[in-house]
């Protein structure tokens, strides 16, 4: 699984390249890589391992960018601006979390409405006429 972690660090393009190379080398190998990437959720843009995961990792990388060089973003030399920047980044992160939560609730409401409509249609569907038993036995 060390290879999988290494490819995850490069992102989805690395998995796509490995799949293509696998098909070029030997088609069953490419098919196996494709099945693994789909089965593990690495190829989809939804759910826990999809696009949201890459956005979160990207946001984490931006937050930690300056940590290698003394923690946070380097000082601009203007203390008021640095405080404003930190507050703005914190506010934007909070808004991003709230928006993701809103989107999750919106998707859930849409799914519930579609399911309720399906169940209502199913309940109101007229019963199919059944064939008489005499015709079936002959």
């Amino acid at each position: 699984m060390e290879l999988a972690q290494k490819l995850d660090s490069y992102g989805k393009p690395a998995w796509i390249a490995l799949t293509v190379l696998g098909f070029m080398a030997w088609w069953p190998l490419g098919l196996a890589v494709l099945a693994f990437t789909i089965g593990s959720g690495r190829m989809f843009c939804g759910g826990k391992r999809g696009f949201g995961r890459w956005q979160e990792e990207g946001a984490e990388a931006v937050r930690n960018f300056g940590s290698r060089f003394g923690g946070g973003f380097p000082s601009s030399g203007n203390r008021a601006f640095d405080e404003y920047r930190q507050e703005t980044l914190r506010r934007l992160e909070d808004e991003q979390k709230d928006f993701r939560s809103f989107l999750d609730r919106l998707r859930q409401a849409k799914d519930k409405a579609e399911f309720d409509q399906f169940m209502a249609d199913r309940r109101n569907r007229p019963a199919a006429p059944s064939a008489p038993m005499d015709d079936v036995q002959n």
Side-chain angles (χ1 to χ4, degrees):
M1 295 302 337
E2 186 176 314
L3 177 63
Q5 292 172 349
K6 181 89 170 160
L7 287 172
D8 280 342
S9 70
Y10 291 118
K12 196 182 291 189
W15 283 104
I16 293 171
L18 181 65
T19 304
V20 170
L21 290 174
F23 274 110
M24 289 172 58
W26 190 46
W27 71 266
L29 178 64
L31 194 60
V33 172
L34 182 63
F36 176 76
T37 56
I38 291 173
S40 64
R42 287 175 168 85
M43 284 297 201
F44 295 112
C45 293
K48 279 195 159 190
R49 294 195 54 90
F51 186 64
R53 176 176 150 242
W54 299 113
Q55 279 186 332
E56 289 168 8
E57 288 177 2
E60 181 72 23
V62 168
R63 274 194 301 275
N64 295 333
F65 173 71
S67 64
R68 297 180 198 153
F69 309 105
F73 286 97
S75 175
S76 66
N78 184 335
R79 189 171 180 182
F81 174 75
D82 291 342
E83 290 173 1
Y84 166 78
R85 177 176 53 193
Q86 288 297 86
E87 176 60 28
T88 302
L89 289 174
R90 187 198 57 75
R91 182 180 50 82
L92 288 173
E93 287 173 358
D94 290 344
E95 286 179 11
Q96 184 180 23
K97 287 177 190 174
D98 292 343
F99 185 68
R100 282 189 183 148
S101 172
F102 167 75
L103 286 179
D104 288 341
R105 290 191 313 270
L106 189 64
R107 285 185 196 109
Q108 186 177 7
K110 180 183 173 202
D111 290 346
K112 183 174 179 357
E114 288 175 354
F115 180 74
D116 290 344
Q117 180 65 40
F118 167 76
M119 292 304 289
D121 290 347
R122 187 170 176 222
R123 262 185 255 119
N124 296 334
R125 179 175 50 193
S130 59
M133 292 300 286
D134 294 335
D135 293 340
V136 174
Q137 292 175 350
N138 291 333

